[in-house]
Amino acid sequence: MSENKRRDVASNPGLWTPANIVTTARVVLVPFWLLVAEMLCPEGLAGSSADAGMLAVFAFYAILSLTDKLDGYLARSRGEVTTFGKFLDPIADKLVVIVSLCFLLEHGLTTSWVLLVVVAREFLVSGLRMVVASKGVVVAASNLGKWKTATTMVSISGLLLCMALPRGVLFTWLVIISQLMLLAAVVLTAWSGIDYFIKSWKYLAEDC
């Protein structure tokens, strides 16, 4: 392969890069995860023994969450950061979080307020991005967003694991820790939304 051709391949990695395949698979697997979770979910929150079905649901969700790091690593390490990946990756993150929170809400392990804050923040930031982008500006994302996503996914994983464990000391402590982490995630979610709004304000107020 000539040097010029190598440069063309590097500058145009194509649509179906390994990172984009992982991201697309994550989007496709989210509704499949929900179907599996609904089918395997026990009637009660916890019984006298571990529930193998919910352990599988927890493991499935943990893998979906970890792929968020995998596709980012693949894209950066291979120099294959694409527009399609930038578009689809945040959508995949939102689906993984919102669908799992709906499942937990259905089974009484979270509240509608948690879901409201998460969804409202996503609407706010998505709207702000569109407005700011129309002015040819890109507002840099802060580390708050990364911490928010990581904390939310870890807390959800903990609550899903609770559904698989028998009642006892471990179950009680895991519920408490996971709920506290979810509370921290809600605070980070609201904070990151406010931070993005503050950064975008000068572009929103330009025409005023």
Side-chain angles (χ1 to χ4, degrees):
M1 185 184 290
S2 67
E3 188 63 31
N4 287 337
K5 194 167 184 180
R6 285 196 191 96
R7 278 198 292 266
D8 288 340
V9 171
S11 60
N12 293 296
L15 181 63
W16 295 114
T17 64
N20 287 349
I21 291 172
V22 171
T23 305
T24 303
R26 188 151 44 109
V27 172
V28 172
L29 286 173
V30 167
F32 181 66
W33 172 84
L34 181 61
L35 176 63
V36 171
E38 293 288 5
M39 290 175 60
L40 297 179
C41 182
E43 292 184 7
L45 180 59
S48 58
S49 60
D51 187 283
M54 282 309 299
L55 281 174
V57 170
F58 156 73
F60 192 173
Y61 183 81
I63 292 170
L64 282 177
S65 300
L66 289 173
T67 55
D68 175 43
K69 298 297 181 184
L70 177 61
D71 56 12
Y73 169 77
L74 288 172
R76 289 187 296 272
S77 64
R78 296 169 60 90
E80 295 176 344
V81 178
T82 64
T83 302
F84 179 72
K86 291 178 182 177
F87 159 74
L88 195 61
D89 184 63
I91 292 177
D93 290 342
K94 292 174 179 61
L95 281 174
V96 170
V97 169
I98 292 174
V99 169
S100 55
L101 282 176
C102 288
F103 175 77
L104 292 175
L105 177 62
E106 180 182 353
H107 294 281
L109 279 168
T110 189
T111 69
S112 55
W113 283 103
V114 172
L115 197 58
L116 174 63
V117 171
V118 171
V119 173
R121 186 266 182 194
E122 299 306 339
F123 275 120
L124 171 67
V125 172
S126 296
L128 287 172
R129 279 179 179 151
M130 286 190 291
V131 172
V132 172
S134 69
K135 299 178 181 291
V137 177
V138 176
V139 177
S142 68
N143 288 329
L144 281 172
K146 295 177 182 178
W147 280 104
K148 176 263 300 180
T149 301
T151 307
T152 304
M153 288 182 177
V154 170
S155 62
I156 291 171
S157 296
L159 290 171
L160 290 172
L161 183 56
C162 288
M163 297 181 73
L165 295 178
R167 291 189 182 274
V169 176
L170 178 59
F171 169 83
T172 302
W173 276 106
L174 187 57
V175 169
I176 293 171
I177 292 170
S178 299
Q179 291 288 4
L180 287 174
M181 285 194 70
L182 187 57
L183 177 60
V186 170
V187 172
L188 287 171
T189 298
W191 187 6
S192 65
I194 293 169
D195 178 66
Y196 200 93
F197 182 81
I198 291 171
K199 289 179 179 177
S200 306
W201 175 250
K202 63 180 178 181
Y203 304 110
L204 296 175
E206 279 182 353
D207 300 327
C208 298

